[in-house]
Short mmCIF file of all heavy atoms in Angstrom, two decimals:
data_model
loop_
_atom_site.label_atom_id
_atom_site.label_comp_id
_atom_site.label_asym_id
_atom_site.label_seq_id
_atom_site.Cartn_x
_atom_site.Cartn_y
_atom_site.Cartn_z
N LYS A 716 9.72 -9.80 26.62
CA LYS A 716 9.79 -11.25 26.88
C LYS A 716 9.85 -11.97 25.54
O LYS A 716 8.96 -11.82 24.71
CB LYS A 716 8.57 -11.71 27.67
CG LYS A 716 8.43 -13.24 27.79
CD LYS A 716 7.21 -13.66 28.62
CE LYS A 716 7.00 -15.18 28.58
NZ LYS A 716 5.81 -15.63 29.33
N ILE A 718 10.15 -15.53 24.80
CA ILE A 718 10.10 -17.00 24.86
C ILE A 718 9.56 -17.47 23.50
O ILE A 718 8.38 -17.30 23.21
CB ILE A 718 9.21 -17.49 26.02
CG1 ILE A 718 9.73 -16.97 27.37
CG2 ILE A 718 9.13 -19.02 26.02
CD1 ILE A 718 11.08 -17.51 27.81
N PHE A 720 9.19 -20.41 22.33
CA PHE A 720 8.12 -21.39 22.57
C PHE A 720 8.09 -21.74 24.04
O PHE A 720 9.13 -22.01 24.65
CB PHE A 720 8.29 -22.67 21.73
CG PHE A 720 7.01 -23.45 21.68
CD1 PHE A 720 5.98 -23.08 20.82
CD2 PHE A 720 6.78 -24.51 22.55
CE1 PHE A 720 4.76 -23.75 20.80
CE2 PHE A 720 5.57 -25.20 22.54
CZ PHE A 720 4.56 -24.81 21.67
N ASP A 721 6.88 -21.73 24.60
CA ASP A 721 6.69 -22.01 26.02
C ASP A 721 5.91 -23.31 26.19
O ASP A 721 4.68 -23.31 26.12
CB ASP A 721 5.96 -20.83 26.69
CG ASP A 721 5.74 -21.07 28.19
OD1 ASP A 721 6.37 -22.00 28.73
OD2 ASP A 721 4.97 -20.30 28.79
N THR A 722 6.65 -24.42 26.39
CA THR A 722 5.96 -25.69 26.67
C THR A 722 5.50 -25.75 28.12
O THR A 722 4.71 -26.61 28.49
CB THR A 722 6.90 -26.89 26.48
OG1 THR A 722 7.96 -26.79 27.45
CG2 THR A 722 7.49 -26.94 25.08
N GLY A 723 6.02 -24.85 28.96
CA GLY A 723 5.82 -24.94 30.40
C GLY A 723 7.04 -25.56 31.07
O GLY A 723 7.22 -25.45 32.27
N LYS A 728 2.65 -27.82 30.00
CA LYS A 728 1.28 -27.35 29.72
C LYS A 728 0.45 -28.48 29.13
O LYS A 728 1.00 -29.39 28.50
CB LYS A 728 1.33 -26.19 28.71
CG LYS A 728 1.87 -24.89 29.25
CD LYS A 728 1.86 -23.81 28.18
CE LYS A 728 2.41 -22.49 28.72
NZ LYS A 728 1.57 -21.86 29.75
N MET A 736 1.55 -21.05 22.09
CA MET A 736 2.71 -20.59 22.88
C MET A 736 3.90 -20.22 21.99
O MET A 736 4.94 -19.79 22.48
CB MET A 736 3.07 -21.61 23.96
CG MET A 736 2.12 -21.53 25.15
SD MET A 736 2.15 -19.91 25.96
CE MET A 736 0.53 -19.25 25.57
N TYR A 738 3.45 -17.72 20.36
CA TYR A 738 3.25 -16.27 20.52
C TYR A 738 3.87 -15.73 21.81
O TYR A 738 3.70 -14.55 22.12
CB TYR A 738 1.76 -15.94 20.52
CG TYR A 738 1.10 -16.11 19.17
CD1 TYR A 738 0.13 -17.09 18.97
CD2 TYR A 738 1.44 -15.29 18.10
CE1 TYR A 738 -0.49 -17.24 17.74
CE2 TYR A 738 0.84 -15.44 16.87
CZ TYR A 738 -0.12 -16.41 16.69
OH TYR A 738 -0.72 -16.56 15.47
N ASP A 739 4.58 -16.58 22.55
CA ASP A 739 5.11 -16.13 23.84
C ASP A 739 6.32 -15.19 23.68
O ASP A 739 6.93 -14.78 24.66
CB ASP A 739 5.46 -17.34 24.72
CG ASP A 739 5.24 -17.07 26.20
OD1 ASP A 739 4.52 -16.10 26.52
OD2 ASP A 739 5.80 -17.82 27.02
N MET A 740 6.62 -14.88 22.42
CA MET A 740 7.70 -13.90 22.14
C MET A 740 7.12 -12.58 21.63
O MET A 740 7.83 -11.77 21.04
CB MET A 740 8.72 -14.46 21.14
CG MET A 740 8.19 -15.33 20.01
SD MET A 740 6.89 -14.54 19.04
CE MET A 740 7.91 -13.43 18.09
N ASN A 771 11.41 -22.45 26.37
CA ASN A 771 11.15 -23.11 27.65
C ASN A 771 10.74 -24.55 27.36
O ASN A 771 9.61 -24.81 26.96
CB ASN A 771 10.04 -22.37 28.41
CG ASN A 771 9.81 -22.92 29.80
OD1 ASN A 771 10.69 -23.57 30.38
ND2 ASN A 771 8.62 -22.66 30.36
N THR A 797 7.87 -24.32 36.68
CA THR A 797 8.75 -23.93 35.56
C THR A 797 7.97 -23.23 34.45
O THR A 797 8.57 -22.70 33.51
CB THR A 797 9.48 -25.15 34.96
OG1 THR A 797 8.51 -26.06 34.42
CG2 THR A 797 10.33 -25.86 36.00
N ASP A 798 6.62 -23.25 34.56
CA ASP A 798 5.80 -22.55 33.56
C ASP A 798 5.69 -21.06 33.87
O ASP A 798 5.22 -20.29 33.04
CB ASP A 798 4.41 -23.20 33.50
CG ASP A 798 3.66 -22.84 32.24
OD1 ASP A 798 4.28 -22.25 31.32
OD2 ASP A 798 2.46 -23.16 32.16
N ALA A 799 6.12 -20.63 35.04
CA ALA A 799 6.17 -19.20 35.33
C ALA A 799 7.58 -18.73 34.96
O ALA A 799 8.36 -18.27 35.80
CB ALA A 799 5.85 -18.94 36.79
N GLU A 800 7.92 -18.89 33.66
CA GLU A 800 9.28 -18.65 33.19
C GLU A 800 9.50 -17.21 32.72
O GLU A 800 10.63 -16.74 32.70
CB GLU A 800 9.62 -19.62 32.05
CG GLU A 800 9.18 -19.21 30.65
CD GLU A 800 7.68 -19.07 30.47
OE1 GLU A 800 6.93 -19.63 31.30
OE2 GLU A 800 7.23 -18.37 29.54
N GLY A 801 8.41 -16.53 32.34
CA GLY A 801 8.55 -15.17 31.79
C GLY A 801 9.24 -14.26 32.78
O GLY A 801 10.19 -13.54 32.45
N ARG A 802 8.77 -14.32 34.03
CA ARG A 802 9.36 -13.46 35.07
C ARG A 802 10.82 -13.81 35.33
O ARG A 802 11.61 -12.97 35.73
CB ARG A 802 8.50 -13.54 36.33
CG ARG A 802 8.46 -14.90 36.96
CD ARG A 802 7.27 -15.09 37.89
NE ARG A 802 6.02 -15.36 37.18
CZ ARG A 802 4.84 -15.52 37.77
NH1 ARG A 802 4.74 -15.41 39.08
NH2 ARG A 802 3.77 -15.76 37.04
N ALA A 824 5.21 -8.15 28.08
CA ALA A 824 5.30 -9.60 28.21
C ALA A 824 3.93 -10.27 28.11
O ALA A 824 2.95 -9.79 28.68
CB ALA A 824 5.95 -9.95 29.55
N THR A 825 3.89 -11.40 27.43
CA THR A 825 2.72 -12.29 27.48
C THR A 825 2.88 -13.10 28.76
O THR A 825 3.24 -14.27 28.73
CB THR A 825 2.73 -13.22 26.25
OG1 THR A 825 4.06 -13.78 26.13
CG2 THR A 825 2.40 -12.47 24.98
N LEU A 826 2.61 -12.44 29.89
CA LEU A 826 3.10 -13.00 31.16
C LEU A 826 2.16 -13.97 31.84
O LEU A 826 2.61 -14.98 32.37
CB LEU A 826 3.47 -11.86 32.12
CG LEU A 826 4.45 -12.25 33.22
CD1 LEU A 826 5.79 -12.69 32.63
CD2 LEU A 826 4.68 -11.12 34.20
N THR A 827 0.87 -13.68 31.85
CA THR A 827 -0.04 -14.54 32.63
C THR A 827 -1.37 -14.79 31.92
O THR A 827 -2.02 -13.86 31.43
CB THR A 827 -0.36 -13.90 34.01
OG1 THR A 827 -1.02 -12.65 33.82
CG2 THR A 827 0.88 -13.73 34.85
ZN1 ZN B 2041 5.38 -17.92 28.95
#
Side-chain angles (χ1 to χ4, degrees):
K716 170 179 173 182
I718 301 294
F720 197 80
D721 180 13
T722 64
K728 288 181 181 293
M736 283 299 111
Y738 290 114
D739 213 18
M740 36 55 76
N771 186 22
T797 63
D798 198 10
E800 85 298 341
R802 64 200 79 182
T825 48
L826 202 63
T827 62

